[in-house]
Amino acid sequence: MTRRYLIPLAVATVLTAGLAAPAAAEGDREWTADLSTVNADDNGVTTHDGTVRLDRAAPTPASARAALRTGFLQLDPRTFDAPVNAVAAAVKSDVPAGAEVAVDVRGALGDEQWTEWVEARPDAPAVLPTSVTTVQVRLALTAEKASPEVSRVDLRAFTSVAASDVGAQAAGLSYRIYATREGLVGGTTANGHVIVSRDHFVALPSRRGLSAKGTGTYSVRVCAANGRCEWAPVWDVGPWNTKDDYWNPSATREMWKNLPQGKPEAQAAYQDGYNGGKDQFGRTVANPAGIDLADGTFWDGLKLTDNAWVTVTYQWTGSGPAGFVRTAGDPLNVRSGATSTAAQVGLAANYAQVRVECQVTGQSVTGSQGTSNIWFRIAAGKFIARAYVSGVSGATAC
């Protein structure tokens, strides 16, 4: 077993020599992560005497179809008395060949919304797209065979002079992407969800937009050529790749930085012979897929009968009022008007985040959030009942 210390050189000069630490700024904070507890937000990891280990039974992301066991330990959020926009990490770990340990960081934006996960790399801190007062750290452990272990994580939050160029847009980033049906009922997704028949979620080929099981912090709106759309949480990693956040600009994209923003590596490999026509695992790419759809999303939400090009909007990259669908489990009907008798034009999966364009008065409905005659317009000609949506504030009249 190879011992590796993943130490970002920008953490502090006491951790390494020869490079200067970032200048101290108001709001700098240092702490050591508590690695002693695994809870419902975590999966595929165990902890003993403060050491986190990838479980031998950790899932392999179903969509990626690669024998790469994956586990996450999501630490409690940490709040500071002054804004920060960067976090550096020093990790003490045992990492065998074929394994990896990474530290992901995100910032709280309020109203249950967060920035995308950004990795704190050995040679650079995680720089968030905006300054925040609350951050959260997640350990990501992967392995083909022997499991990595993490015994200590030292963290430092500070204000960096560098800034990410990933900013929220009102409507969110949107691209035309080839979608495939994931299927794999009975399999386990990267966040630990066991896939059921007619399930409703999607997979993207990067963990940067991966939601914890039973949450929809990172969700997408997927629209087909037939005009139907589904809002669904991102619960798996794939297809093909696991480090291809193609929706991000080259400056922050994890791999394949010379590809155009919005073009998945699998698409470039399939259409253009990019990377010799292979994915990150060296497999010959058989289709240009940049998103996988669970069966319910594929068949019921979009009414697809075969793999197809769709328009995907990455909800967390947008701004403005947003909320989360809350049902007993079934997806929420999306209607063409503010009444339950209007035509069904799509679905919004339980837990999914929805961006609200405006609100109208319509039929009174009783749901998980009480009784209301308010309906939210979440896209042109598409409405959902407020009675099933939590967290929306600031929505204006249509």
Side-chain angles (χ1 to χ4, degrees):
M1 182 173 286
T2 301
R3 181 171 296 277
R4 181 182 301 168
Y5 293 87
L6 303 179
I7 303 180
L9 303 180
V11 176
T13 53
V14 297
L15 295 178
T16 186
L19 290 177
E26 183 181 0
D28 279 11
R29 296 291 183 269
E30 298 180 8
W31 74 103
T32 299
D34 180 2
L35 306 180
S36 64
T37 303
V38 173
N39 58 35
D41 288 333
D42 311 318
N43 74 285
V45 295
T46 60
T47 182
H48 180 69
D49 290 338
T51 295
V52 178
R53 189 176 193 275
L54 183 65
D55 197 324
R56 291 186 180 276
T60 58
S63 175
R65 294 167 170 83
L68 194 68
R69 290 180 295 126
T70 302
F72 297 98
L73 181 72
Q74 192 162 295
L75 306 176
D76 290 337
R78 192 169 185 91
T79 300
F80 312 105
D81 57 5
V84 299
N85 74 338
V87 175
V91 181
K92 185 177 181 181
S93 59
D94 287 331
V95 185
E100 181 181 349
V101 171
V103 178
D104 298 333
V105 182
R106 65 178 181 176
L109 300 174
D111 293 331
E112 299 182 70
Q113 298 181 58
W114 294 80
T115 67
E116 187 171 288
W117 292 104
V118 182
E119 185 177 346
R121 297 182 178 277
D123 58 348
V127 179
L128 302 175
T130 188
S131 293
V132 298
T133 55
T134 298
V135 301
Q136 188 168 31
V137 173
R138 177 180 72 180
L139 284 181
L141 286 70
T142 59
E144 296 176 1
K145 295 180 181 178
S147 297
E149 296 180 354
V150 178
S151 56
R152 185 181 175 94
V153 181
D154 292 317
L155 298 151
R156 185 186 184 206
F158 58 95
T159 299
S160 170
V161 294
S164 167
D165 62 354
V166 179
Q169 302 182 20
L173 296 171
S174 185
Y175 297 103
R176 187 170 179 265
I177 302 297
Y178 192 72
T180 46
R181 182 177 69 85
E182 179 160 345
L184 303 175
V185 173
T188 304
T189 66
N191 72 356
H193 169 72
V194 177
I195 302 172
V196 300
S197 178
R198 275 350 228 231
D199 219 334
H200 290 265
F201 67 87
V202 305
L204 293 177
S206 168
R207 70 174 187 271
R208 289 186 170 185
L210 179 68
S211 296
K213 181 172 60 176
T215 73
T217 307
Y218 306 100
S219 296
V220 296
R221 181 181 75 195
V222 187
C223 296
N226 60 15
R228 291 183 64 86
C229 299
E230 175 159 327
W231 286 252
V234 182
W235 280 358
D236 205 2
V237 175
W240 297 110
N241 295 303
T242 63
K243 296 184 178 183
D244 186 22
D245 51 321
Y246 58 79
W247 52 89
N248 282 326
S250 60
T252 55
R253 188 168 177 166
E254 186 170 10
M255 293 183 68
W256 327 116
K257 291 178 176 292
N258 59 344
L259 287 176
Q261 184 177 2
K263 188 168 189 175
E265 190 276 342
Q267 180 182 339
Y270 182 79
Q271 294 178 336
D272 311 322
Y274 180 84
N275 194 41
K278 300 183 184 299
D279 67 4
Q280 75 182 68
F281 300 102
R283 301 174 299 189
T284 299
V285 175
N287 59 53
I291 188 171
D292 245 354
L293 310 178
D295 288 353
T297 303
F298 189 94
W299 286 324
D300 304 324
L302 301 183
K303 301 291 186 185
L304 295 177
T305 58
D306 200 358
N307 298 334
W309 290 94
V310 297
T311 300
V312 182
T313 303
Y314 308 82
Q315 297 291 91
W316 68 92
T317 67
S319 61
F324 295 89
V325 175
R326 298 284 188 260
T327 70
D330 290 336
L332 180 63
N333 288 318
V334 178
R335 301 288 185 179
S336 62
T339 172
S340 59
T341 59
Q344 189 219 61
V345 291
L347 295 172
N350 190 26
Y351 304 114
Q353 183 189 73
V354 292
R355 290 282 171 188
V356 175
E357 294 183 347
C358 57
Q359 65 182 41
V360 299
T361 301
Q363 178 188 4
S364 182
V365 174
T366 299
S368 64
Q369 306 303 302
T371 299
S372 176
N373 63 355
I374 298 298
W375 288 65
F376 295 132
R377 191 178 80 191
I378 56 177
K382 293 178 171 60
F383 299 82
I384 55 174
R386 181 187 183 279
Y388 289 97
V389 184
S390 71
V392 178
S393 62
T396 58
C398 294

